[in-house]
Amino acid sequence: MRSPEVINALQRIAVGQSVSVDVANIGSRDGEEVVQLYIHQRHGTSTRPECELKAFTRVAIPAGRSCAVEFVLGPDELSYWSAVTRSRVQDVTTIDVYVGGSSAASAHTVLEVVR
């Protein structure tokens, strides 16, 4: 399997919109890949981890084919528990989105989260 390389996403994204990535099987045999979505929030009410796993899915890809994988960035993916406010927070902010087969995902885009 080849790692996803391109994310087709809006540069500005509202809660509930999605990002998609094309995953290709360049091998000669059918295969499966666990495609994982990670985010990093650059700034906000509280400090966030460098890399947070927010979604994943297993896809079967026939040899020599590719498929599109879509992830919805809803409230569960974009909000977090803030120790500062002692509540769930969804900041208007900039996030880095990474998609790939592991936390070392190379497909990357930057999105501005709006309300």
Side-chain angles (χ1 to χ4, degrees), residues 19-37:
V19 295
S20 66
V21 63
D22 292 326
V23 181
N25 179 350
I26 60 172
S28 59
R29 296 190 176 156
D30 295 349
E32 292 186 348
E33 179 68 77
V34 177
V35 184
Q36 302 168 34
L37 175 108

Side-chain angles (χ1 to χ4, degrees), residues 34-71:
V34 177
V35 184
Q36 302 168 34
L37 175 108
Y38 294 86
I39 69 166
H40 170 249
Q41 182 174 314
R42 292 187 179 182
H43 51 81
T45 305
S46 299
T47 303
R48 302 288 299 279
E50 257 322 290
C51 185
E52 290 181 86
L53 176 63
K54 291 297 185 171
F56 62 91
T57 188
R58 179 181 296 275
V59 293
I61 308 171
R65 305 293 298 257
S66 65
C67 70
V69 177
E70 185 173 327
F71 294 103

Side-chain angles (χ1 to χ4, degrees), residues 66-87:
S66 65
C67 70
V69 177
E70 185 173 327
F71 294 103
V72 175
L73 294 173
D76 289 340
E77 291 76 29
L78 297 175
S79 66
Y80 60 96
W81 177 261
S82 171
V84 173
T85 64
R86 297 195 175 272
S87 63

Side-chain angles (χ1 to χ4, degrees), residues 7 19 37-39 73 95-99 107-111:
I7 297 176
V19 295
L37 175 108
Y38 294 86
I39 69 166
L73 294 173
I95 61 170
D96 293 294
V97 178
Y98 301 91
V99 178
H108 172 253
T109 194
V110 178
L111 302 174

